[in-house]
Amino acid sequence: MKHRRVLRAAVTVAVTGALAAGMTMALTTSANAGTTLRASAAEKGRYFGAAVATGKLSTGAYTTILNREFNSVVAENEMKWDATEPQQGRFSYTGGDRLVSHAQANGMSVRGHALLWYQQEPGWAQNMSGSALRSAMINHVTQVATHFRGKIYAWDVVNEAFADGNSGGRRDSNLQRTGNDWIEAAFRAARVADPGAKLCYNDYNTDGINAKSTGIYNMVRDFKSRGVPIDCVGFQSHLGTSLAGDYQANLQRFADLGVDVQITELDVMTGGNQANIYGAVTRACMNVSRCTGITTWGVRDCDSWRGSDNALLFDCNGNKKAAYTSVLNALNAGPAIPTDPPTDPPTDPPTDPPTDPPTDPPTVGCAASVSLNSWNGGFVATVKVTAGSAGTSGWNVGFTLPSGASVTNTWSATASGSTGAVRFANVNYNGRLGAGQVTEFGFQGTGSASGVTPTCTAS
Ligand code: G3I
């Protein structure tokens, strides 16, 4: 049974590409085997994708790389609720349709992102609650999945519904307050609307075995045991300067529940370890036979929501970075998705987390610095926390935001407060730092955060 599912996954990828691109895809693949991300991934029965801002499809330099290197796309913003149903019952598919057309013309499969997410809700939905919101959200799932029926390889049906921190429970939101069964209701509606799409749950800070990933694991196990239609779990993998040692083991435990797994929004903090981490993530996926593909959250560094992190595989001029080579090598070295019954489990030992020793004399406590990526009306802040001479068992970073600024999204930390004096505490996997060790977290907000300075307290 497990074997048949694995085989179907491989065939689905191959057929999607072949249907969309016909002979061109087959010829391109064999001519470039091993020399582009898409060809190398396809040889192993997998896809390699990128998040796309459709406005950039008319930029030649961007589209040249996209078409050469990637055989899967996901809309960075255009298929979200605020984009597809800006007014209740009035649907807009311009950006999504454009991306699907581009994909079909270039032999790419499409991930759908995201039917329901507590962020990027249109204003009208933000103001709703209870049974009115429940029926509006199910209608949204039904309408959007029906519109794109037959064109989507996998949908992120629900995005980011679990809380950060140690609770392992659900995140509070107006969606959650409609009742704990909202996620399964969404999956059932999506299955009816597009029976051919794989239905995924997608989240971040799940890059290892931790409280949050275990909460999701328990939900998936429950869904599988009760026949709730879930096919895959997406691991966003917005990563800092180290990778959890149990990254692959975490993917594998989900796969063992009988779902596919995918790396859905990969980007990695720049620095000495970037190429190593990209390679380790790729190897982990290759070593898990139900890991069907990897998506990076953008194409070039300057396309990334992470701004000065330079978090992607191509620099702003479109040149391949060391991280690109690391990924390509890992794709080429990895095993294909098996079409025969699996034999022995992979024997590669997990990669050790990078352990650069500090060279500067360490400081006591901790230090924090921030880099901002701002636009008119919003910003993304990336915060670096450096442990002092005693190391940390936990840390807490405070900011005083200017009036009008408000935190809307946090990753790799737990926020208290959203305006004025706000604080960010470590999550369970990044609180313990050795002397001089560095970790990162980030947050996104509305308004302007220019001029803010962090203060760091260690425990
Ligand atoms: O470009 C417009 C600008 O013209 C306008 O003035 C301004 C006013 O708000 O908005 C700008 O758009 C911003 C857009 O990014 C383009 O940069 C939106 O405000 C901003 O909300 C949007 O952020 C997106 C974010 O999701 C929304 O929360 C990022 O592009 C997108 O990369 C990010 O993607 C998410 C995934 O969907 C889920 N996982 C985390 C990931 C990163 O946050």
Side-chain angles (χ1 to χ4, degrees), residues 230-268:
I230 186 166
D231 306 306
C232 37
V233 176
F235 297 82
Q236 294 186 9
S237 305
H238 296 294
L239 298 173
T241 50
S242 64
L243 182 68
D246 53 5
Y247 185 89
Q248 180 180 320
N250 188 46
L251 299 181
Q252 187 64 57
R253 72 170 174 156
F254 278 85
D256 290 343
L257 290 176
V259 289
D260 290 344
V261 294
Q262 296 153 5
I263 315 305
T264 52
E265 303 184 14
L266 181 60
D267 48 25
V268 181

Short mmCIF file of all heavy atoms in Angstrom, two decimals, residues 230-268:
data_model
loop_
_atom_site.label_atom_id
_atom_site.label_comp_id
_atom_site.label_asym_id
_atom_site.label_seq_id
_atom_site.Cartn_x
_atom_site.Cartn_y
_atom_site.Cartn_z
N ILE A 230 -6.11 14.27 4.01
CA ILE A 230 -4.85 15.03 3.99
C ILE A 230 -3.80 14.17 3.29
O ILE A 230 -3.71 12.97 3.54
CB ILE A 230 -4.40 15.44 5.41
CG1 ILE A 230 -3.17 16.34 5.34
CG2 ILE A 230 -4.16 14.23 6.32
CD1 ILE A 230 -2.85 17.07 6.63
N ASP A 231 -3.04 14.78 2.39
CA ASP A 231 -2.07 14.03 1.57
C ASP A 231 -0.62 14.44 1.83
O ASP A 231 0.29 13.73 1.43
CB ASP A 231 -2.34 14.26 0.08
CG ASP A 231 -3.77 13.96 -0.28
OD1 ASP A 231 -4.23 12.84 0.02
OD2 ASP A 231 -4.45 14.85 -0.85
N CYS A 232 -0.43 15.62 2.41
CA CYS A 232 0.96 16.10 2.48
C CYS A 232 1.09 17.16 3.56
O CYS A 232 0.11 17.80 3.96
CB CYS A 232 1.41 16.68 1.14
SG CYS A 232 0.15 17.58 0.21
N VAL A 233 2.34 17.32 4.00
CA VAL A 233 2.67 18.36 4.97
C VAL A 233 3.83 19.16 4.40
O VAL A 233 4.82 18.59 3.92
CB VAL A 233 3.06 17.75 6.34
CG1 VAL A 233 3.51 18.84 7.31
CG2 VAL A 233 1.87 16.99 6.93
N GLY A 234 3.66 20.48 4.41
CA GLY A 234 4.70 21.39 3.92
C GLY A 234 5.51 21.94 5.09
O GLY A 234 4.95 22.38 6.10
N PHE A 235 6.82 21.90 4.93
CA PHE A 235 7.75 22.45 5.92
C PHE A 235 8.36 23.70 5.29
O PHE A 235 9.15 23.60 4.36
CB PHE A 235 8.82 21.41 6.29
CG PHE A 235 8.22 20.19 6.92
CD1 PHE A 235 7.66 19.19 6.14
CD2 PHE A 235 8.17 20.06 8.29
CE1 PHE A 235 7.06 18.08 6.72
CE2 PHE A 235 7.58 18.96 8.90
CZ PHE A 235 7.02 17.97 8.10
N GLN A 236 7.97 24.87 5.79
CA GLN A 236 8.38 26.10 5.12
C GLN A 236 9.90 26.25 5.10
O GLN A 236 10.49 26.61 4.10
CB GLN A 236 7.75 27.31 5.81
CG GLN A 236 6.24 27.34 5.65
CD GLN A 236 5.62 28.61 6.21
OE1 GLN A 236 6.31 29.56 6.57
NE2 GLN A 236 4.30 28.63 6.28
N SER A 237 10.53 26.02 6.25
CA SER A 237 12.00 26.06 6.32
C SER A 237 12.58 27.43 5.97
O SER A 237 13.43 27.56 5.10
CB SER A 237 12.61 24.97 5.43
OG SER A 237 12.08 23.71 5.81
N HIS A 238 12.10 28.45 6.65
CA HIS A 238 12.77 29.76 6.64
C HIS A 238 13.86 29.65 7.70
O HIS A 238 13.58 29.69 8.89
CB HIS A 238 11.78 30.88 6.98
CG HIS A 238 10.69 31.03 5.97
ND1 HIS A 238 10.94 31.46 4.69
CD2 HIS A 238 9.35 30.81 6.04
CE1 HIS A 238 9.80 31.49 4.01
NE2 HIS A 238 8.83 31.10 4.81
N LEU A 239 15.09 29.50 7.25
CA LEU A 239 16.14 29.06 8.17
C LEU A 239 17.16 30.16 8.48
O LEU A 239 17.37 31.07 7.67
CB LEU A 239 16.85 27.84 7.57
CG LEU A 239 15.94 26.62 7.36
CD1 LEU A 239 16.69 25.52 6.60
CD2 LEU A 239 15.43 26.09 8.70
N GLY A 240 17.78 30.01 9.64
CA GLY A 240 18.82 30.93 10.09
C GLY A 240 20.20 30.39 9.77
O GLY A 240 20.43 29.90 8.66
N THR A 241 21.07 30.42 10.75
CA THR A 241 22.45 30.03 10.48
C THR A 241 22.79 28.62 10.96
O THR A 241 23.94 28.23 11.00
CB THR A 241 23.42 31.03 11.14
OG1 THR A 241 23.03 31.19 12.51
CG2 THR A 241 23.37 32.37 10.44
N SER A 242 21.78 27.89 11.39
CA SER A 242 22.03 26.49 11.73
C SER A 242 20.79 25.67 11.40
O SER A 242 19.72 26.22 11.19
CB SER A 242 22.38 26.33 13.22
OG SER A 242 21.28 26.72 14.00
N LEU A 243 20.98 24.37 11.33
CA LEU A 243 19.87 23.48 10.98
C LEU A 243 19.72 22.45 12.09
O LEU A 243 20.72 21.87 12.54
CB LEU A 243 20.17 22.78 9.65
CG LEU A 243 19.09 21.85 9.12
CD1 LEU A 243 17.85 22.66 8.71
CD2 LEU A 243 19.60 21.05 7.92
N ALA A 244 18.48 22.21 12.48
CA ALA A 244 18.25 21.21 13.53
C ALA A 244 18.85 19.87 13.10
O ALA A 244 18.69 19.44 11.95
CB ALA A 244 16.75 21.06 13.77
N GLY A 245 19.52 19.20 14.01
CA GLY A 245 20.15 17.91 13.70
C GLY A 245 19.14 16.84 13.34
O GLY A 245 19.48 15.86 12.66
N ASP A 246 17.89 17.03 13.79
CA ASP A 246 16.87 16.02 13.50
C ASP A 246 15.90 16.47 12.40
O ASP A 246 14.75 16.05 12.35
CB ASP A 246 16.10 15.65 14.78
CG ASP A 246 15.52 16.87 15.50
OD1 ASP A 246 15.64 18.00 14.95
OD2 ASP A 246 14.96 16.70 16.59
N TYR A 247 16.41 17.34 11.52
CA TYR A 247 15.57 17.84 10.42
C TYR A 247 15.03 16.68 9.57
O TYR A 247 13.83 16.58 9.31
CB TYR A 247 16.40 18.80 9.56
CG TYR A 247 15.62 19.49 8.46
CD1 TYR A 247 14.97 20.69 8.69
CD2 TYR A 247 15.55 18.93 7.18
CE1 TYR A 247 14.26 21.33 7.68
CE2 TYR A 247 14.85 19.57 6.17
CZ TYR A 247 14.21 20.76 6.43
OH TYR A 247 13.50 21.37 5.43
N GLN A 248 15.93 15.80 9.16
CA GLN A 248 15.49 14.67 8.32
C GLN A 248 14.60 13.71 9.10
O GLN A 248 13.59 13.21 8.57
CB GLN A 248 16.71 13.92 7.77
CG GLN A 248 16.34 12.74 6.89
CD GLN A 248 17.57 12.02 6.36
OE1 GLN A 248 18.55 12.66 5.99
NE2 GLN A 248 17.52 10.70 6.33
N ALA A 249 14.97 13.45 10.35
CA ALA A 249 14.15 12.52 11.16
C ALA A 249 12.73 13.06 11.31
O ALA A 249 11.76 12.29 11.34
CB ALA A 249 14.80 12.34 12.53
N ASN A 250 12.61 14.37 11.39
CA ASN A 250 11.27 14.96 11.52
C ASN A 250 10.46 14.74 10.24
O ASN A 250 9.29 14.35 10.28
CB ASN A 250 11.40 16.45 11.84
CG ASN A 250 10.08 17.08 12.18
OD1 ASN A 250 9.30 16.54 12.96
ND2 ASN A 250 9.80 18.22 11.59
N LEU A 251 11.09 14.97 9.08
CA LEU A 251 10.38 14.70 7.81
C LEU A 251 9.95 13.24 7.77
O LEU A 251 8.82 12.91 7.39
CB LEU A 251 11.30 14.98 6.61
CG LEU A 251 11.84 16.38 6.39
CD1 LEU A 251 12.69 16.41 5.12
CD2 LEU A 251 10.73 17.41 6.30
N GLN A 252 10.87 12.38 8.17
CA GLN A 252 10.60 10.94 8.07
C GLN A 252 9.43 10.52 8.96
O GLN A 252 8.62 9.68 8.58
CB GLN A 252 11.86 10.15 8.43
CG GLN A 252 11.74 8.65 8.19
CD GLN A 252 11.56 8.32 6.72
OE1 GLN A 252 12.38 8.67 5.88
NE2 GLN A 252 10.45 7.64 6.38
N ARG A 253 9.34 11.12 10.15
CA ARG A 253 8.24 10.66 11.03
C ARG A 253 6.89 11.04 10.44
O ARG A 253 5.91 10.31 10.59
CB ARG A 253 8.42 11.16 12.46
CG ARG A 253 8.18 12.64 12.69
CD ARG A 253 8.15 12.95 14.18
NE ARG A 253 8.07 14.40 14.38
CZ ARG A 253 7.59 14.97 15.47
NH1 ARG A 253 7.13 14.24 16.47
NH2 ARG A 253 7.57 16.28 15.57
N PHE A 254 6.83 12.19 9.74
CA PHE A 254 5.57 12.53 9.06
C PHE A 254 5.32 11.58 7.90
O PHE A 254 4.20 11.09 7.72
CB PHE A 254 5.61 13.98 8.56
CG PHE A 254 5.29 15.00 9.61
CD1 PHE A 254 6.28 15.48 10.46
CD2 PHE A 254 4.01 15.48 9.78
CE1 PHE A 254 6.01 16.42 11.45
CE2 PHE A 254 3.71 16.42 10.77
CZ PHE A 254 4.72 16.89 11.60
N ALA A 255 6.34 11.32 7.11
CA ALA A 255 6.19 10.39 5.97
C ALA A 255 5.68 9.04 6.46
O ALA A 255 4.85 8.40 5.81
CB ALA A 255 7.53 10.25 5.24
N ASP A 256 6.15 8.63 7.62
CA ASP A 256 5.75 7.33 8.16
C ASP A 256 4.27 7.30 8.56
O ASP A 256 3.71 6.23 8.77
CB ASP A 256 6.63 6.96 9.37
CG ASP A 256 8.06 6.64 8.95
OD1 ASP A 256 8.30 6.40 7.74
OD2 ASP A 256 8.95 6.66 9.82
N LEU A 257 3.66 8.48 8.65
CA LEU A 257 2.21 8.52 8.91
C LEU A 257 1.41 8.26 7.63
O LEU A 257 0.19 8.13 7.67
CB LEU A 257 1.79 9.90 9.46
CG LEU A 257 2.23 10.26 10.88
CD1 LEU A 257 1.82 11.69 11.19
CD2 LEU A 257 1.64 9.29 11.89
N GLY A 258 2.11 8.26 6.48
CA GLY A 258 1.41 8.01 5.22
C GLY A 258 1.04 9.28 4.47
O GLY A 258 0.07 9.30 3.71
N VAL A 259 1.82 10.34 4.67
CA VAL A 259 1.64 11.56 3.87
C VAL A 259 2.94 11.87 3.15
O VAL A 259 4.01 11.48 3.61
CB VAL A 259 1.23 12.77 4.75
CG1 VAL A 259 -0.19 12.65 5.26
CG2 VAL A 259 2.22 12.98 5.90
N ASP A 260 2.83 12.59 2.03
CA ASP A 260 4.03 13.13 1.39
C ASP A 260 4.50 14.32 2.21
O ASP A 260 3.71 14.95 2.93
CB ASP A 260 3.72 13.62 -0.04
CG ASP A 260 3.45 12.46 -0.99
OD1 ASP A 260 3.78 11.31 -0.65
OD2 ASP A 260 2.89 12.72 -2.07
N VAL A 261 5.78 14.63 2.08
CA VAL A 261 6.30 15.84 2.70
C VAL A 261 6.99 16.66 1.62
O VAL A 261 7.48 16.12 0.62
CB VAL A 261 7.26 15.53 3.87
CG1 VAL A 261 6.52 14.86 5.01
CG2 VAL A 261 8.44 14.67 3.43
N GLN A 262 7.00 17.96 1.81
CA GLN A 262 7.62 18.87 0.85
C GLN A 262 8.26 20.03 1.60
O GLN A 262 7.74 20.44 2.64
CB GLN A 262 6.56 19.42 -0.12
CG GLN A 262 5.92 18.34 -0.98
CD GLN A 262 4.52 18.68 -1.42
OE1 GLN A 262 4.01 19.76 -1.17
NE2 GLN A 262 3.88 17.72 -2.09
N ILE A 263 9.38 20.51 1.08
CA ILE A 263 10.00 21.72 1.63
C ILE A 263 9.41 22.86 0.81
O ILE A 263 9.64 22.95 -0.39
CB ILE A 263 11.54 21.69 1.47
CG1 ILE A 263 12.11 20.32 1.88
CG2 ILE A 263 12.17 22.83 2.24
CD1 ILE A 263 11.75 19.85 3.26
N THR A 264 8.67 23.74 1.46
CA THR A 264 7.77 24.60 0.68
C THR A 264 8.18 26.06 0.56
O THR A 264 7.69 26.75 -0.33
CB THR A 264 6.36 24.55 1.28
OG1 THR A 264 6.46 24.84 2.69
CG2 THR A 264 5.71 23.21 1.07
N GLU A 265 9.04 26.56 1.44
CA GLU A 265 9.37 28.00 1.36
C GLU A 265 10.83 28.24 1.73
O GLU A 265 11.17 29.21 2.41
CB GLU A 265 8.45 28.81 2.30
CG GLU A 265 6.97 28.61 2.00
CD GLU A 265 6.04 29.49 2.84
OE1 GLU A 265 6.53 30.45 3.47
OE2 GLU A 265 4.84 29.19 2.86
N LEU A 266 11.68 27.37 1.26
CA LEU A 266 13.07 27.37 1.73
C LEU A 266 13.78 28.69 1.44
O LEU A 266 13.78 29.18 0.30
CB LEU A 266 13.81 26.20 1.07
CG LEU A 266 15.27 25.99 1.44
CD1 LEU A 266 15.44 25.74 2.93
CD2 LEU A 266 15.85 24.81 0.64
N ASP A 267 14.35 29.26 2.46
CA ASP A 267 15.34 30.33 2.32
C ASP A 267 16.22 30.26 3.56
O ASP A 267 15.79 29.82 4.62
CB ASP A 267 14.75 31.72 2.07
CG ASP A 267 13.62 32.10 3.00
OD1 ASP A 267 13.55 31.59 4.13
OD2 ASP A 267 12.78 32.95 2.60
N VAL A 268 17.47 30.66 3.41
CA VAL A 268 18.47 30.45 4.46
C VAL A 268 19.28 31.73 4.64
O VAL A 268 19.76 32.31 3.66
CB VAL A 268 19.42 29.28 4.10
CG1 VAL A 268 20.44 29.04 5.20
CG2 VAL A 268 18.65 28.00 3.80
#
